[in-house]
């Protein structure tokens, strides 16, 4: 059985940093691609960052304009984990953050999993 577990949320002051983790476990081959979304109270869920395999040994990433230069997504293939490093946090970054992973299973199938969400609160 495949599980996706998010961790790393919390409360920080403006200007602080947090690192979110998205760990996939179970009978999988690898994480093909992953996205980070966030949803603030009363707002729609928005795509924040993405990372995907762009070559045999290379990956590409992209970010929404509001987090460019502050957030970085990365991955550790050995741990089947994706990270979102968030620096220079602002109060407007406050939201529940979700990881979405496109996973290649050991069976050869490909499936999408969502994390349970982790709260990030930034105070001014």
């Amino acid at each position: 059985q495949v599980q996706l577990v998010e961790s790393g949320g919390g409360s920080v002051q403006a200007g602080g940093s947090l690192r979110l983790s998205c760990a996939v476990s179970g009978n999988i081959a690898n994480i093909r691609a992953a996205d980070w979304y966030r949803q603030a109270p009363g707002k729609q869920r928005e795509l924040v960052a993405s990372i995907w395999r762009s070559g045999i040994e290379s990956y590409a990433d992209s970010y929404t304009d509001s987090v460019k230069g502050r957030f970085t997504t990365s991955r550790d293939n050995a741990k089947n984990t994706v990270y979102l490093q968030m620096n220079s946090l602002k109060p407007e970054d406050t939201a529940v953050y979700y990881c979405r992973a496109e996973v290649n299973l050991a069976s050869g199938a490909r499936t999408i999993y969502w994390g349970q969400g982790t709260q990030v609160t930034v105070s001014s």
Side-chain angles (χ1 to χ4, degrees):
Q1 187 174 354
V2 178
Q3 279 192 314
L4 191 158
V5 178
E6 291 183 53
S7 61
S11 297
V12 295
Q13 290 193 325
S17 298
L18 286 172
R19 188 177 79 158
L20 306 183
S21 298
C22 173
V24 183
S25 62
N27 200 16
I28 73 169
N30 55 60
I31 300 173
R32 181 178 180 274
D35 304 304
W36 291 95
Y37 288 79
R38 66 186 179 187
Q39 187 165 19
K43 295 188 177 181
Q44 288 189 331
R45 187 172 296 190
E46 68 167 334
L47 177 62
V48 174
S50 299
I51 185 167
W52 64 93
R53 185 184 296 269
S54 59
I56 295 175
E57 296 290 341
S58 61
Y59 296 88
D61 55 4
S62 66
Y63 304 88
T64 191
D65 286 347
S66 62
V67 308
K68 282 181 181 176
R70 300 188 298 121
F71 289 13
T72 303
T73 186
S74 61
R75 55 193 294 155
D76 184 331
N77 292 332
K79 296 181 179 180
N80 286 320
T81 299
V82 179
Y83 303 98
L84 183 66
Q85 178 67 44
M86 306 184 294
N87 299 328
S88 302
L89 283 161
K90 303 176 181 180
E92 51 263 43
D93 294 318
T94 295
V96 177
Y97 284 71
Y98 298 90
C99 173
R100 174 188 178 277
E102 187 176 343
V103 178
N104 289 323
L105 303 178
S107 65
R110 182 177 297 166
T111 308
I112 292 173
Y113 295 90
W114 283 87
Q116 78 280 10
T118 186
Q119 177 70 46
V120 171
T121 303
V122 185
S123 58
S124 58

